[in-house]
Amino acid sequence: MNDFAFPPAPPASVAVAGSKLRFPVHRIYCVGRNYAEHVREMGAEPERAPPVFFMKPADAVVANGTPVPYPPATANLHHEVELVVALRSGARHIAAGAALGHVFGYAVGNDLTRRDLQAAARAKGQPWDTAKGFDHSAPVAAIRPAAEGHLNRGRIWLKVNDSLRQESDIDQMLLDVPGIIAALSGFYELRGGDLIFTGTPAGVGALKPGDRVEGGIDGLETLRHTISAPPVA
Ligand code: MN
């Protein structure tokens, strides 16, 4: 075996509820435009703007309770509370009927977004990478194993400084979890270690340094983090 030219970055991982074992993150896929009310608040019609897929780097994950530094190059950082699906295995071209067999568990995540950069990218037809895939952009709470049950309904909510900003039910997703896995596996070979952020309900809004963010889904560990001041250059 060849040695590396220098030490590789440590693998990204997420806590597993009730276990000392950690979930090793392979990739982070995300679904955009997956709740009709959120599509409308973004100025589009759900019928004309179907769900889209994008990615974040694996090491964008932030452990529950860890402060998130306000990112550079934005003046409009937004929260997006989401159900996160964690895969134990994968394949290409997974049928919706077989999709849940690949699920390791479920967690609450926050798809942090530089909304100003996203709006500029959309206007110019450019990619969303700098708007979505930045450092520390994927806080995730502990994963609840699917052995405790799959999730297809339940209240999803987010509070900033104890004020309710987002509230819906995950049964309002336009593409449900099996549908998302089936669709994504038509573009990519999915595998164990993949996380899928499944889209956010209406009520997205701005965060600023000092804010306290809490997000929840019935039956899952509550996600909590603050927004800290940007690091000094
Ligand atoms: Mn999102």
PDB file of all heavy atoms in Angstrom, residues 20 56 66 75 140 152 191 209 214 221 226:
ATOM      1  N   LYS A  20     -22.197   4.340  20.873  1.00  0.00           N
ATOM      2  CA  LYS A  20     -20.886   5.001  20.828  1.00  0.00           C
ATOM      3  C   LYS A  20     -20.323   5.008  19.414  1.00  0.00           C
ATOM      4  O   LYS A  20     -19.330   5.676  19.148  1.00  0.00           O
ATOM      5  CB  LYS A  20     -19.906   4.271  21.760  1.00  0.00           C
ATOM      6  CG  LYS A  20     -20.203   4.495  23.230  1.00  0.00           C
ATOM      7  CD  LYS A  20     -19.203   3.771  24.111  1.00  0.00           C
ATOM      8  CE  LYS A  20     -19.500   4.037  25.581  1.00  0.00           C
ATOM      9  NZ  LYS A  20     -18.706   3.166  26.465  1.00  0.00           N
ATOM     10  N   LYS A  56     -23.377  19.147  -0.760  1.00  0.00           N
ATOM     11  CA  LYS A  56     -22.447  19.836   0.122  1.00  0.00           C
ATOM     12  C   LYS A  56     -21.267  18.898   0.349  1.00  0.00           C
ATOM     13  O   LYS A  56     -21.431  17.673   0.254  1.00  0.00           O
ATOM     14  CB  LYS A  56     -23.098  20.131   1.487  1.00  0.00           C
ATOM     15  CG  LYS A  56     -24.228  21.152   1.490  1.00  0.00           C
ATOM     16  CD  LYS A  56     -24.859  21.251   2.882  1.00  0.00           C
ATOM     17  CE  LYS A  56     -26.065  22.171   2.912  1.00  0.00           C
ATOM     18  NZ  LYS A  56     -25.740  23.553   3.300  1.00  0.00           N
ATOM     19  N   THR A  66     -22.435  22.408  18.605  1.00  0.00           N
ATOM     20  CA  THR A  66     -21.217  23.143  18.261  1.00  0.00           C
ATOM     21  C   THR A  66     -21.584  24.472  17.602  1.00  0.00           C
ATOM     22  O   THR A  66     -22.379  24.493  16.659  1.00  0.00           O
ATOM     23  CB  THR A  66     -20.351  22.312  17.285  1.00  0.00           C
ATOM     24  OG1 THR A  66     -20.076  21.056  17.892  1.00  0.00           O
ATOM     25  CG2 THR A  66     -19.061  23.020  16.942  1.00  0.00           C
ATOM     26  N   ALA A  75     -24.151  38.506   3.425  1.00  0.00           N
ATOM     27  CA  ALA A  75     -24.823  39.377   4.383  1.00  0.00           C
ATOM     28  C   ALA A  75     -26.233  38.865   4.627  1.00  0.00           C
ATOM     29  O   ALA A  75     -27.081  39.585   5.163  1.00  0.00           O
ATOM     30  CB  ALA A  75     -24.865  40.808   3.844  1.00  0.00           C
ATOM     31  N   VAL A 140     -25.913  18.810  12.012  1.00  0.00           N
ATOM     32  CA  VAL A 140     -26.783  17.631  12.061  1.00  0.00           C
ATOM     33  C   VAL A 140     -26.805  17.084  13.487  1.00  0.00           C
ATOM     34  O   VAL A 140     -25.747  16.900  14.094  1.00  0.00           O
ATOM     35  CB  VAL A 140     -26.294  16.499  11.115  1.00  0.00           C
ATOM     36  CG1 VAL A 140     -27.294  15.353  11.091  1.00  0.00           C
ATOM     37  CG2 VAL A 140     -26.072  17.008   9.698  1.00  0.00           C
ATOM     38  N   ASN A 152     -42.479   9.032   8.153  1.00  0.00           N
ATOM     39  CA  ASN A 152     -43.132   9.630   6.984  1.00  0.00           C
ATOM     40  C   ASN A 152     -44.115  10.724   7.371  1.00  0.00           C
ATOM     41  O   ASN A 152     -44.754  11.319   6.513  1.00  0.00           O
ATOM     42  CB  ASN A 152     -43.803   8.562   6.117  1.00  0.00           C
ATOM     43  CG  ASN A 152     -44.740   7.679   6.912  1.00  0.00           C
ATOM     44  OD1 ASN A 152     -45.251   8.092   7.953  1.00  0.00           O
ATOM     45  ND2 ASN A 152     -44.962   6.465   6.435  1.00  0.00           N
ATOM     46  N   ARG A 191     -24.384   5.143  -1.701  1.00  0.00           N
ATOM     47  CA  ARG A 191     -23.707   4.122  -0.887  1.00  0.00           C
ATOM     48  C   ARG A 191     -23.867   4.440   0.593  1.00  0.00           C
ATOM     49  O   ARG A 191     -24.250   5.547   0.980  1.00  0.00           O
ATOM     50  CB  ARG A 191     -22.237   3.978  -1.272  1.00  0.00           C
ATOM     51  CG  ARG A 191     -21.406   5.218  -1.138  1.00  0.00           C
ATOM     52  CD  ARG A 191     -19.947   4.900  -1.403  1.00  0.00           C
ATOM     53  NE  ARG A 191     -19.351   4.149  -0.290  1.00  0.00           N
ATOM     54  CZ  ARG A 191     -18.096   3.728  -0.258  1.00  0.00           C
ATOM     55  NH1 ARG A 191     -17.295   3.944  -1.277  1.00  0.00           N
ATOM     56  NH2 ARG A 191     -17.633   3.095   0.798  1.00  0.00           N
ATOM     57  N   PRO A 209     -24.844  36.747  14.062  1.00  0.00           N
ATOM     58  CA  PRO A 209     -24.013  36.287  15.181  1.00  0.00           C
ATOM     59  C   PRO A 209     -24.728  36.498  16.516  1.00  0.00           C
ATOM     60  O   PRO A 209     -25.362  37.536  16.726  1.00  0.00           O
ATOM     61  CB  PRO A 209     -22.760  37.162  15.069  1.00  0.00           C
ATOM     62  CG  PRO A 209     -22.669  37.489  13.607  1.00  0.00           C
ATOM     63  CD  PRO A 209     -24.105  37.649  13.157  1.00  0.00           C
ATOM     64  N   GLU A 214     -32.724  26.377  17.269  1.00  0.00           N
ATOM     65  CA  GLU A 214     -33.204  25.061  17.699  1.00  0.00           C
ATOM     66  C   GLU A 214     -34.108  24.521  16.603  1.00  0.00           C
ATOM     67  O   GLU A 214     -34.995  25.238  16.126  1.00  0.00           O
ATOM     68  CB  GLU A 214     -34.078  25.180  18.948  1.00  0.00           C
ATOM     69  CG  GLU A 214     -33.388  25.283  20.266  1.00  0.00           C
ATOM     70  CD  GLU A 214     -34.459  25.344  21.352  1.00  0.00           C
ATOM     71  OE1 GLU A 214     -35.084  26.421  21.489  1.00  0.00           O
ATOM     72  OE2 GLU A 214     -34.675  24.328  22.006  1.00  0.00           O
ATOM     73  N   GLU A 221     -33.752  13.587  17.962  1.00  0.00           N
ATOM     74  CA  GLU A 221     -33.008  14.491  18.833  1.00  0.00           C
ATOM     75  C   GLU A 221     -33.090  15.923  18.290  1.00  0.00           C
ATOM     76  O   GLU A 221     -32.891  16.152  17.099  1.00  0.00           O
ATOM     77  CB  GLU A 221     -31.540  14.051  18.907  1.00  0.00           C
ATOM     78  CG  GLU A 221     -30.674  14.949  19.775  1.00  0.00           C
ATOM     79  CD  GLU A 221     -29.223  14.483  19.826  1.00  0.00           C
ATOM     80  OE1 GLU A 221     -28.907  13.611  20.651  1.00  0.00           O
ATOM     81  OE2 GLU A 221     -28.421  14.981  19.020  1.00  0.00           O
ATOM     82  N   THR A 226     -25.562  27.676  18.106  1.00  0.00           N
ATOM     83  CA  THR A 226     -25.552  29.140  18.042  1.00  0.00           C
ATOM     84  C   THR A 226     -24.802  29.559  16.773  1.00  0.00           C
ATOM     85  O   THR A 226     -24.159  28.737  16.110  1.00  0.00           O
ATOM     86  CB  THR A 226     -24.827  29.740  19.260  1.00  0.00           C
ATOM     87  OG1 THR A 226     -23.499  29.190  19.313  1.00  0.00           O
ATOM     88  CG2 THR A 226     -25.572  29.425  20.556  1.00  0.00           C
TER      89      THR A 226
END
